[in-house]
Amino acid sequence: MGSVQIVTTILAAAITAVAVWLAVRAVMKMTAVIRLGQPAPERFGDKGARTRKMLVETAGHTRMLKWSVVGAAHWFVMVGFIVLSLLVLEAYFEVVTPGGGLPVIGRWTVFGLATEWIGILGLAGIGVLMAIRLRNRPNRPGNRSRFTGSTMWQGYFVEWVVLLVLIFGFVIRGFKVATDHFEYPVWATPLSHAVGAALPAWTAGVSVAALIKIVISMTWLIVISLNVTMGVAWHRFLAFPNIFFKREPEKAAGSGLGALRPMMSDGKPLDFEEADPEKDQFGVAQVEQFTWKGLLDFSTCTECGRCQSQCPAWNTGKPLSPKLLVLSLRDHAYAKAPYLLAGGGKDLTGEEKATAAQLAHVDVLALAEAEKPLIGTAEEGGVIDPDVLWSCTTCGACVEQCPVDIEHVDHIVDMRRYQVLIESSFPSEAGVMLRNLENKGNPWGAPQNTREDWTKGLGFEVPRVGEVDDFEYLFWVGCAGAFEDRAKKTTRAVATLLNEAGVSFAILGEGETCSGDPARRIGNEFVFQMLAQQNVETLNEAFEGREKSKRKIVATCPHCFNTLGNEYGQLGGEFEVVHHTQLLAHLVSAGKLTPVQPVDGGVTYHDPCYLGRHNRVFAAPREVLGDSIQGELTEMPRNSERSFCCGAGGARMWMEEKIGKRINVDRVEEAMSTGAKTIAVGCPFCSTMLNDGVNGKGAGEQVEVIDVASVLLRSVKPDAPAGEKETESVAG
């Protein structure tokens, strides 16, 4: 060992010792913060499925590759980080001696070949990612970047570290080639040999380059250890457990889509019959009241902004960005952590749990952070502004796009639950809707005895449950389908088509009440459970004696479809629920309905969030429309899982949109840009919102918004009255 090698060895050992000590301290701190969260015992079930999903999502990059170029580049960088960590380890042998290398595998040509090409592709990948970040930098004039709000220096730092580590990997190999210390042939390692041909035969160059590589790597570790909220770096470790502990690993939709997580207290679903606000947790009022998985979510955020780029609120000038919401909660949690770890915190009555002695040595900044309300305006020092909380439509675009499976919607609704149930703080106009749900069983406050008015004048009898001996499908009409003028046309069209196809069905009529979706999404779990339990009891009675596969429900509203199919199981209601477009597609393919009259003028289809993104029903409505128009559907740029929300979900249907551009107008402009004369929908909320948008643009005579069922009815029965133009106003 020469003098150069002695110096490089000592320096490598010293910086590594410091980096490892800081990293261990950082990991212990992060673990302590995450463990402050509430229990989530359900996250430990079915470890086999969780392991499979984690491996598929990480190794296969299934979520990242939804953005193909970024996904491919990131895959090469990820593989390079994992595999080429072995070359960082090898550098510790190379600082000691120029001919050093990894024991055993370091001499294998296949190892040299693999690491060579992983390094080359890693260089290409990081170059692409750096170019994308620069092209989308927030300070670029006229650019609404997905990186707005991200800590940009951290992203640049991480990317430059990756680039330099890869470069010095080839420099080390180049010096080995130049000094005849390299083990691999030219055909296996062409770039290394090319670099070697350009370098001098400096024997100490191997050890010096290896030291530089180690210093770069350990500097990265030191920097991220001193910045535990640096998600752009820590996600490469935290993504694995975050994906492993996702809510529903086997679900086709993203974790956190479909059903909402039940309202929990101490790791158990809350029973309102026995719940006590002084003993049980009603939603989330303090950051430590999120589950440990929630705190892991916040820690894992990569700040990539994919969620932000897809969010309808953010894209129309609202203050909500799913990314910035998560980052605010993350930063608040870690700033408050010293106070919480010292024993501080408020109990459910608002009393301080810690003694003065426990808090005596807590940093004053942590104490100040502890006094911030979780939800509050800037003047109140709130962590999350109320306008941010109430801008969410729960469309799930953020959850769909998140590459590390953060469950944004669950966290937003948990905060809403506390605001509604304990603080009674929510947009005032939504109060009318909630009172109507409690008193009338529907959001519009319409009389219950008018639920069957849509059946009048159909020309055939619509059977009621209890009046017929048997039926194949229970037709869940829904509140909109029973009371709202446009939606009643859809209800009549579906009933007409089912009758035409000879499908045996029955309705509950006045026995049906609201599914509870708007109450649950706004955060009023109490009203949701009241309505849901009533419906579950009614449905169980209607299906008494039938096995689940024969407890079939068809629903025209995706919100009812989602609630009955995904959420009623939490309350003892197990049913097979289909959307009307699924049933109609089946009837057409089976030859029971035959489209005869093509619908011309061009048709584009708007994917409802709760049908498409939340429940993955993309093909059925398109099949129905394709058969009806007997041609190609004109797709909007944002369609299927990337469909843009109409603005009505998350109970936003009953709240005023006072900030920024109206979401429905943005969507209507996109639909009209296709040139199609018909905008087909599969949801009564979407129908209302898009009709309002079309009328607001003054295009009511040129563009028509109509349900898929009505499009099919026009084709099957061209003279059917239910196919008339749907331009009436919303029923009061």
Side-chain angles (χ1 to χ4, degrees):
M1 180 186 290
S3 58
V4 171
Q5 284 71 38
I6 293 173
V7 173
T8 56
T9 301
I10 293 171
L11 291 175
I15 194 170
T16 301
V18 172
V20 170
W21 178 75
L22 289 173
V24 170
R25 190 182 69 167
V27 169
M28 291 175 65
K29 179 178 180 179
M30 295 177 76
T31 303
V33 171
I34 291 167
R35 292 182 65 184
L36 288 169
Q38 300 303 302
E42 73 279 5
R43 303 285 180 167
F44 294 93
D46 204 351
K47 293 182 175 60
R50 293 181 179 281
T51 302
R52 285 193 300 274
K53 180 61 74 171
M54 180 192 69
L55 292 175
V56 167
E57 283 196 22
T58 52
H61 254 41
T62 52
R63 297 179 72 79
M64 283 295 298
L65 285 169
K66 289 179 180 179
W67 293 21
S68 54
V69 174
V70 176
H74 190 275
W75 188 86
F76 288 122
V77 172
M78 181 199 72
V79 172
F81 177 81
I82 294 172
V83 175
L84 299 183
S85 294
L86 290 173
L87 297 187
V88 176
L89 177 61
E90 187 174 53
Y92 285 94
F93 293 91
E94 292 162 338
V95 294
V96 176
T97 174
L102 288 174
V104 185
I105 63 171
R107 301 289 175 181
W108 296 351
T109 299
V110 68
F111 176 73
L113 174 67
T115 51
E116 179 85 358
W117 285 100
I118 289 172
I120 292 171
L121 295 172
L123 281 170
I126 197 62
V128 169
L129 295 182
M130 293 174 81
I132 289 172
R133 188 177 294 273
L134 288 169
R135 189 184 65 201
N136 291 281
R137 63 189 184 276
N139 59 357
R140 189 175 179 182
N143 189 35
R144 189 166 179 81
S145 170
R146 65 186 174 97
F147 294 117
T148 298
S150 298
T151 312
M152 294 301 288
W153 75 262
Q154 295 180 352
Y156 294 137
F157 171 76
V158 168
E159 288 167 348
W160 273 101
V161 164
V162 172
L163 178 65
L164 291 173
V165 166
L166 290 169
I167 288 173
F168 273 91
F170 285 106
V171 171
I172 293 168
R173 286 186 163 189
F175 275 121
K176 281 190 169 184
V177 170
T179 55
D180 291 327
H181 288 104
F182 201 51
E183 306 91 343
Y184 311 121
V186 175
W187 66 266
T189 54
L191 182 56
S192 296
H193 280 272
V195 173
L199 292 176
W202 180 32
T203 304
V206 175
S207 297
V208 171
L211 173 63
I212 294 172
K213 183 176 182 177
I214 290 170
V215 168
I216 293 170
S217 301
M218 292 304 107
T219 298
W220 174 82
L221 189 56
I222 289 169
V223 170
I224 73 166
S225 297
L226 295 173
N227 293 274
V228 290
T229 58
M230 194 171 174
V232 70
W234 282 106
H235 82 273
R236 63 190 59 198
F237 306 113
L238 297 178
F240 297 97
N242 208 55
I243 295 170
F244 180 87
F245 288 116
K246 64 158 58 182
R247 177 145 62 87
E248 296 174 271
E250 291 286 23
K251 193 171 182 179
S255 181
L257 291 175
L260 277 176
R261 185 171 178 269
M263 194 163 165
M264 310 287 281
S265 180
D266 197 29
K268 300 174 185 175
L270 194 66
D271 182 351
F272 276 97
E273 292 184 3
E274 300 178 0
D276 181 353
E278 294 189 359
K279 297 178 181 177
D280 296 300
Q281 182 178 315
F282 279 55
V284 170
Q286 304 289 336
V287 73
E288 64 271 20
Q289 291 178 348
F290 287 106
T291 66
W292 61 261
K293 174 57 170 62
L295 295 177
L296 178 59
D297 270 358
F298 308 153
S299 302
T300 307
C301 179
T302 71
E303 304 189 26
C304 67
R306 287 163 67 127
C307 59
Q308 182 171 287
S309 72
Q310 304 297 300
C311 177
W314 178 260
N315 277 288
T316 53
K318 315 293 189 292
L320 169 64
S321 156
K323 177 187 72 176
L324 298 181
L325 179 139
V326 166
L327 297 186
S328 295
L329 293 171
R330 178 198 68 188
D331 293 345
H332 173 60
Y334 281 89
K336 188 178 179 180
Y339 159 78
L340 296 171
L341 293 171
K346 302 289 196 302
D347 63 22
L348 294 172
T349 65
E351 295 296 318
E352 176 59 58
K353 293 186 289 187
T355 64
Q358 286 177 296
L359 301 179
H361 301 292
V362 175
D363 183 78
V364 66
L365 294 177
L367 293 173
E369 194 74 25
E371 294 302 315
K372 289 184 177 181
L374 190 65
I375 307 298
T377 63
E379 292 76 15
E380 295 166 336
V383 178
I384 304 297
D385 191 279
D387 284 336
V388 169
L389 185 67
W390 296 110
S391 291
C392 180
T393 67
T394 69
C395 71
C398 49
V399 178
E400 171 74 37
Q401 289 298 327
C402 182
V404 292
D405 281 305
I406 293 172
E407 296 159 9
H408 312 73
V409 174
D410 280 343
H411 303 319
I412 288 171
V413 172
D414 270 339
M415 290 186 284
R416 285 183 172 186
R417 284 166 169 166
Y418 181 84
Q419 293 300 305
V420 172
L421 294 172
I422 302 300
E423 297 291 336
S424 296
S425 177
F426 52 88
S428 58
E429 60 269 21
V432 176
M433 177 267 292
L434 290 173
R435 286 193 295 274
N436 286 337
L437 288 178
E438 288 190 75
N439 299 326
K440 299 289 188 178
N442 68 85
W444 287 278
Q448 185 72 356
N449 61 10
T450 62
R451 267 195 183 268
E452 299 178 31
D453 284 0
W454 65 269
T455 63
K456 295 176 181 177
L458 272 177
F460 58 91
E461 191 69 25
V462 176
R464 280 77 174 164
V465 171
E467 296 178 358
V468 290
D469 294 332
D470 194 21
F471 56 88
E472 184 179 3
Y473 286 95
L474 189 151
F475 181 13
W476 182 272
V477 176
C479 298
F483 301 122
E484 197 269 331
D485 287 340
R486 280 182 290 258
K488 281 195 283 188
K489 286 188 172 63
T490 301
T491 307
R492 291 166 64 86
V494 171
T496 301
L497 290 165
L498 294 182
N499 182 69
E500 181 79 9
V503 175
S504 171
F505 70 96
I507 63 171
L508 289 172
E510 293 183 28
E512 181 181 305
T513 191
C514 180
S515 67
D517 164 85
R520 188 168 228 198
R521 266 71 195 168
I522 202 173
N524 198 325
E525 186 74 5
F526 176 79
V527 171
F528 164 73
Q529 290 203 21
M530 178 186 73
L531 295 167
Q533 286 169 352
Q534 179 181 335
N535 282 325
V536 167
E537 184 177 334
T538 301
L539 290 168
N540 282 340
E541 184 178 336
F543 288 121
E544 188 173 4
R546 297 195 193 190
E547 58 192 61
K548 182 182 177 181
S549 62
K550 295 183 179 179
R551 297 158 67 92
K552 297 180 181 179
I553 298 174
V554 58
T556 57
C557 175
H559 297 265
C560 296
F561 165 68
N562 177 70
T563 303
L564 271 63
N566 294 329
E567 297 185 336
Y568 275 16
Q570 299 169 3
L571 300 169
E574 296 290 338
F575 313 109
E576 291 288 337
V577 187
V578 298
H579 189 252
H580 71 283
T581 58
Q582 293 176 297
L583 180 54
L584 294 178
H586 167 71
L587 295 174
V588 172
S589 67
K592 295 183 178 181
L593 291 172
T594 305
V596 294
Q597 177 70 46
V599 177
D600 54 18
V603 178
T604 189
Y605 174 64
H606 164 78
D607 288 274
C609 300
Y610 273 84
L611 182 63
R613 194 154 39 237
H614 279 279
N615 286 284
R616 322 314 284 178
V617 179
F618 300 119
R622 287 174 167 80
E623 290 169 4
V624 174
L625 291 170
D627 290 327
S628 300
I629 64 177
Q630 298 180 24
E632 287 294 319
L633 194 66
T634 305
E635 292 283 10
M636 287 184 250
R638 295 176 292 192
N639 64 76
S640 303
E641 69 271 6
R642 290 200 197 180
S643 178
F644 196 71
C645 181
C646 74
R652 289 291 324 172
M653 178 88 166
W654 290 274
M655 299 182 225
E656 290 297 324
E657 196 170 344
K658 301 174 183 177
I659 304 173
K661 184 179 182 180
R662 295 183 67 86
I663 294 172
N664 60 334
V665 171
D666 191 293
R667 185 56 165 170
V668 162
E669 289 174 351
E670 181 176 9
M672 291 174 62
S673 72
T674 66
K677 299 302 181 184
T678 299
I679 304 173
V681 297
C683 171
F685 289 5
C686 296
S687 177
T688 296
M689 299 300 285
L690 298 186
N691 260 297
D692 288 351
V694 167
N695 292 333
K697 298 290 292 183
E701 295 301 317
Q702 294 81 41
V703 178
E704 180 181 11
V705 180
I706 185 173
D707 191 87
V708 171
S710 293
V711 175
L712 178 61
L713 183 60
R714 288 181 181 180
S715 183
V716 172
K717 301 181 71 174
D719 298 324
E724 64 188 288
K725 197 166 185 179
E726 302 187 7
T727 57
E728 286 87 340
S729 61
V730 178

